Amino acid sequence: MPTPIPPPDLLVSLRAALAARYDIERPLGAGAMATVYLARDLRHERNVALKVLHFEVAGVAGRERFTREIRLAASLTHPHILPLYDSGEANGALFFVMPVMEGQTLRDLLQQEGRLAVTAATRISAEVADALDYAHRHGVVHRDIKPENILLHEGHAFVADFGIGKAIAAATHDASTLTQMGITLGTPAYMSPEQAAGDELDGRSDLFSLGCVLYEMLSGEIAFTGLTAAAIIARRFVYTPPSLTESRADVPESVVAIVARLLEREPASRPATGADVAAALQTPSVAEKMQRQAGSVSTNSIAVLPFENMSPDPENAFFSDGLTEEIITDLSRVGALRVTSRTSSMQHKNSVKGSREISRALGVRYLLTGSVRRAGPALRISAQLVDATEDRQLWAEKFSGTIDDVFDLQERVSREIVAALGITLQPDEDRRLAARGINHAEAYELYLQARAEMRLAWVSSDRWKALLDHAVAVEGETPILRGIRLWGEVMLLKGGIGEHSRLGEIEREARALVEIAPDAPWGYAALGYAGIEQGDMRAAITWFRKAIERDPTDTDSRYWLMAAFGYAGLLREATDVAVEMRMFDPLSTLSAIAGTVVPFFTGRIDETIGPLQRVLTVEPQNFGALWSIWYARISTGDLDGAQRDSDEMMAMAPEAPYVVQADALLRAVRGDRDGALAWIAGRDLAPFDAHLTFHIAEIFAMAGDIECGLDVLALAVEKGFTPVEFIAVHCPFVEPLRGHPRFALIVADATARSEAVLRSL
């Protein structure tokens, strides 16, 4: 087809051809491919931008193919994509019509500001990434992401010219013709290496371009420069821009990391989708959220510090600690209050720190302190409420009675605190404060002792059961005693001490408790853990959320909710829960461990060792922290350190499944194939949860039994372990499986299951 010759007066020609549809007023600007005119859409009575391809470009484009591709682009409907209203041909000119946006382009803003605030740059980039993800899923690659094509309006970003580059590329008879004419599809400074090389493109090419734009927004410098277009294009193959940390100190590490990944030369090394980029930019790392949280104090936030045992008998400390915990539970039922969990409050037992220092450490405004004196049946409780931000006492009272009055005294303390803070109780909150879980003082004491013993269940699993049996003999099978016994059974199962065959009985008891005690967390929490054990992460997430609604200070349920999200591969949601844990329980070792889960699953496992070691300084026998440090060390090649950790765990609990698994994997990594497989050969894996099953697959893989490794990996995914990025990319111990065709199918299954959980939420 001969190249069309532009009419002598293009504007006059366009006006004549489009007079029935558009009143073309004046040119707005021109680029290498097209000229843009301001026009009036006569049918809809609105201003539009009418973009007309230059005739030399139109001349090498097949009109039918171009029109088909423009129709595809016009079908894109997304909040951050500038829509295409219309397209067609007028006197040989190809045109398309877009809205006229008020505001400015990102290029205009960069020329004014030089560089942008981190929050502005990440927000703009997240919105662009979200638009890219949508377009890529609909088969459209932009091919020319640059500041000029990002429009800013009402505080939001809109990507212009979506699909135009693809339409021109698809409709061009000979791509070299455009090059000979000095026209490039894409802009040299923002072009991906594969686009510069003329290779086939997918969405990751646009993500590279977005990385260039984000780098420029944050640094004020264009990532790739040169004296000529050819020099600029060539530079991306041999040059890596300086880290953003060299140009400014306020860019969070997570943002520095995502920019570096976006600018990787190989597409496979970049984030896979725009959704991944948007999530990374919208979800700061746990560390960053903690930094923002530090020093911030919620208005209605309170910590109940351990009541001092003033009794002549020091053995009565369990009673004062138990009373402290019961008041925490009471106050946590008041929706207008944020109450710090027991574990963080208890770390200030016998503390000599001032109220302001404790307040800052716990992130609360109010502190409740007190003492308990018990002599025979007589009981005296003193309490005072302090506004720690002003170091001012708000309320103080003494309560006297006998041990039989303990429930009334506890309720009076809680109600007077609520009144002193000016909070009006809702009817259901008033009802819950008045509820009595136990009526007999003797049973109450036995319950408090059993709960204290239960926290040592890893060491001893018998005494708490005997104490609860005694309490039941006094009180009867009340919901609170059934609930604490049920959670004790769950703790044994979590620690590898309980029998997995008990899971069905635990689930039946949990459902019964939900029926008879719907306001209490125990049944819901146990059902959540059963969900994890059964590989149903959707159910686990649902039940743990219900438990937390009933007791926001329940750190155990928050931890396992975070774990369920992590196992399902929903790391953004896991991060949010980890942050909430730190808010409600800032000094808890579980909160500290939770903060290491996302780095664990995202290839930054070396970052977890320091925080986990700090956990062990507080709780030297914290098995979860010890196992996680072991795994981090073996993952990073520190086999001697991993051996020391393995030996320590073996001394603690030689029969526990995770201990034997650690020993077997270490043997496999050291080349002792027979020793590694001896423990798992012929073993029934059904009792193991998804997480442990995955780690068994690692043993087979490292021992060279590829088929068994694939079988067990598939079983782990079937059981609900679906952190896709960790399995597909970061875990070093499944590397022997990655070249097998079945591995790709297993990863696809994991992806589908992870997405299904996300859709169900």
Side-chain angles (χ1 to χ4, degrees):
M1 183 181 71
T3 300
I5 301 173
D9 191 332
L10 177 59
L11 185 53
V12 171
S13 175
L14 287 171
R15 281 174 173 161
L18 298 173
R21 298 159 62 187
Y22 300 102
D23 179 11
I24 303 175
E25 297 181 9
R26 57 183 171 83
L28 290 175
M33 296 266 187
T35 300
V36 185
Y37 297 92
L38 176 65
R40 183 72 176 171
D41 182 345
L42 299 177
R43 176 182 298 179
H44 300 99
E45 297 185 351
R46 61 188 177 187
N47 288 337
V48 295
L50 191 145
K51 200 162 191 174
V52 183
L53 289 186
H54 295 328
F55 268 75
E56 60 270 26
V57 177
V60 296
R63 274 151 169 68
E64 291 184 8
R65 182 72 184 273
F66 179 84
T67 302
R68 285 200 305 271
E69 295 293 344
I70 283 293
R71 286 198 189 110
L72 176 60
S75 70
L76 298 178
T77 304
H78 187 274
H80 299 295
I81 293 178
L82 193 68
L84 281 178
Y85 288 157
D86 191 11
S87 63
E89 182 177 353
N91 282 348
L94 297 176
F95 72 90
F96 40 94
V97 181
M98 303 172 295
V100 173
M101 298 291 289
E102 297 177 3
Q104 59 186 169
T105 67
L106 177 57
R107 172 61 66 211
D108 297 331
L109 183 60
L110 287 171
Q111 288 175 343
Q112 296 166 11
E113 304 291 337
R115 66 183 189 183
L116 306 186
V118 174
T119 52
T122 54
R123 176 181 51 77
I124 290 169
S125 298
E127 291 179 346
V128 172
D130 195 37
L132 290 173
D133 182 70
Y134 172 84
H136 297 161
R137 285 188 282 110
H138 288 78
V140 179
V141 179
H142 190 287
R143 298 171 185 262
D144 198 16
I145 293 295
K146 59 184 177 181
E148 288 80 358
N149 280 335
I150 299 173
L151 309 182
L152 306 175
H153 177 67
E154 297 289 338
H156 293 286
F158 297 83
V159 182
D161 283 3
F162 241 116
I164 307 307
K166 183 187 178 187
I168 294 171
T172 298
H173 301 298
D174 184 357
S176 64
T177 305
L178 288 175
T179 305
Q180 292 166 9
M181 294 164 56
I183 299 171
T184 305
L185 287 175
T187 302
Y190 305 94
M191 197 180 290
S192 70
E194 60 268 30
Q195 187 176 6
D199 296 337
E200 285 291 320
L201 304 184
D202 60 21
R204 294 170 295 182
S205 176
D206 284 343
L207 297 183
F208 181 94
S209 302
L210 176 59
C212 294
V213 173
L214 179 53
Y215 184 92
E216 186 173 349
M217 284 193 283
L218 292 170
S219 70
E221 302 290 338
I222 296 175
F224 300 99
T225 60
L227 296 177
T228 65
I232 295 171
I233 290 173
R235 199 164 194 215
R236 74 206 58 243
F237 294 101
V238 296
Y239 170 77
T240 300
S243 171
L244 288 166
T245 57
E246 296 184 20
S247 56
R248 58 192 296 182
D250 64 332
V251 181
E253 289 182 8
S254 61
V255 177
V256 173
I258 194 65
V259 172
R261 288 185 63 201
L262 287 168
L263 295 180
E264 289 282 356
R265 294 188 185 93
E266 292 296 328
S269 299
R270 298 174 208 147
T273 67
D276 294 337
V277 177
L281 292 173
Q282 292 169 333
T283 308
S285 69
V286 173
E288 291 156 20
K289 287 192 175 183
M290 298 313 169
Q291 289 170 1
R292 285 207 304 269
Q293 182 189 317
S296 65
V297 174
S298 173
T299 302
N300 276 347
S301 53
I302 186 170
V304 182
L305 300 186
F307 277 42
E308 185 178 359
N309 176 32
M310 302 294 290
S311 308
D313 184 358
E315 294 298 318
N316 279 325
F318 79 88
F319 188 86
S320 56
D321 288 348
L323 183 63
T324 302
E325 190 164 349
E326 291 303 300
I327 293 173
I328 289 173
T329 299
D330 276 354
L331 295 179
S332 70
R333 293 169 175 158
V334 180
L337 275 176
R338 175 168 70 78
V339 185
T340 297
S341 291
R342 166 200 170 275
T343 45
S344 288
S345 293
M346 285 297 179
Q347 291 195 34
H348 288 282
K349 190 172 185 176
N350 302 320
S351 174
V352 296
K353 295 179 180 177
S355 60
R356 286 183 175 173
E357 186 177 358
I358 295 174
S359 164
R360 285 194 297 270
L362 296 176
V364 297
R365 178 174 181 178
Y366 302 109
L367 297 176
L368 179 69
T369 61
S371 62
V372 178
R373 181 176 179 82
R374 181 182 174 191
L379 185 65
R380 183 172 182 175
I381 300 172
S382 298
Q384 64 173 344
L385 181 67
V386 174
D387 184 337
T389 60
E390 300 178 6
D391 204 12
R392 177 171 60 92
Q393 180 175 294
L394 298 179
W395 165 88
E397 189 61 83
K398 292 183 173 65
F399 305 87
S400 297
T402 69
I403 190 66
D404 293 327
D405 302 319
V406 64
F407 309 113
D408 290 329
L409 298 179
Q410 171 192 315
E411 182 182 344
R412 285 177 58 193
V413 171
S414 299
R415 289 185 180 277
E416 294 205 24
I417 292 164
V418 170
L421 294 176
I423 295 172
T424 301
L425 291 172
Q426 299 299 312
D428 63 325
E429 294 170 344
D430 185 82
R431 175 177 54 81
R432 289 177 185 176
L433 277 182
R436 292 283 184 271
I438 297 176
N439 293 306
H440 294 83
E442 182 185 359
Y444 177 69
E445 287 191 72
L446 291 164
Y447 158 74
L448 294 181
Q449 287 178 291
R451 191 167 61 182
E453 287 289 332
M454 188 178 293
R455 295 195 172 103
L456 302 175
W458 180 261
V459 179
S460 170
S461 60
D462 296 324
R463 180 167 162 73
W464 66 268
K465 293 182 180 180
L467 289 164
L468 280 182
D469 287 343
H470 191 178
V472 168
V474 174
E475 181 77 21
E477 283 277 13
T478 64
I480 191 170
L481 295 176
R482 288 175 66 176
I484 196 70
R485 184 189 298 279
L486 175 65
W487 193 243
E489 295 289 344
V490 169
M491 290 178 66
L492 293 178
L493 199 60
K494 288 193 301 183
I497 296 175
E499 291 294 329
H500 192 271
S501 59
R502 292 264 299 137
L503 186 61
E505 186 177 337
I506 286 172
E507 186 174 7
R508 287 190 293 275
E509 174 68 357
R511 292 189 182 279
L513 276 171
V514 167
E515 289 294 322
I516 65 174
D519 291 337
W522 321 296
Y524 302 96
L527 286 171
Y529 188 73
I532 288 181
E533 286 289 312
Q534 294 162 351
D536 189 347
M537 299 306 154
R538 181 200 60 78
I541 290 165
T542 299
W543 289 118
F544 281 127
R545 280 175 164 173
K546 289 180 181 293
I548 294 164
E549 285 174 8
R550 287 151 179 82
D551 182 5
T553 68
D554 184 354
T555 302
D556 277 316
S557 287
R558 284 191 191 276
Y559 178 83
W560 287 103
L561 173 62
M562 181 275 309
F565 278 127
Y567 292 168
L570 305 181
L571 300 187
R572 179 176 179 179
E573 290 76 7
T575 298
D576 289 342
V577 178
V579 172
E580 289 176 1
M581 287 182 67
R582 189 64 179 267
M583 181 188 303
F584 283 94
D585 208 352
L587 304 183
S588 163
T589 52
L590 269 184
S591 296
I593 294 171
T596 68
V597 168
V598 172
F600 182 103
F601 281 133
T602 55
R604 298 180 286 123
I605 197 167
D606 57 309
E607 298 176 13
T608 69
I609 296 176
L612 291 168
Q613 286 176 325
R614 288 190 287 275
V615 168
L616 291 177
T617 62
V618 178
E619 295 181 8
Q621 288 192 311
N622 187 305
F623 182 80
L626 188 56
W627 184 91
S628 297
I629 287 178
W630 164 82
Y631 192 83
R633 284 185 171 139
I634 193 173
S635 296
T636 54
D638 180 7
L639 300 188
D640 291 340
Q643 185 68 62
R644 289 192 298 272
D645 295 333
S646 177
D647 292 344
E648 186 173 348
M649 289 188 289
M650 191 67 72
M652 288 172 59
E655 300 301 320
Y658 274 96
V659 173
V660 186
Q661 169 267 331
D663 177 70
L665 182 59
L666 189 55
R667 290 176 183 272
V669 171
R670 290 189 182 277
D672 180 7
R673 182 181 188 278
D674 293 339
L677 296 179
W679 176 67
I680 53 176
R683 181 176 287 268
D684 179 14
L685 303 184
F688 297 156
D689 68 8
H691 181 250
L692 181 54
T693 302
F694 173 80
H695 292 299
I696 302 302
E698 294 177 321
I699 298 171
F700 281 115
M702 294 306 295
D705 192 336
I706 303 302
E707 289 299 328
C708 281
L710 290 165
D711 289 343
V712 178
L713 177 60
L715 178 62
V717 169
E718 183 181 333
K719 287 182 174 184
F721 189 79
T722 58
V724 178
E725 183 181 346
F726 178 71
I727 296 171
V729 179
H730 299 304
C731 176
F733 306 118
V734 297
E735 182 61 33
L737 309 181
R738 290 195 173 112
H740 196 285
R742 281 185 62 197
F743 184 80
L745 297 176
I746 294 170
V747 170
D749 184 30
T751 302
R753 291 173 183 271
S754 177
E755 292 175 348
V757 174
L758 181 60
R759 286 194 301 271
S760 72
L761 301 182

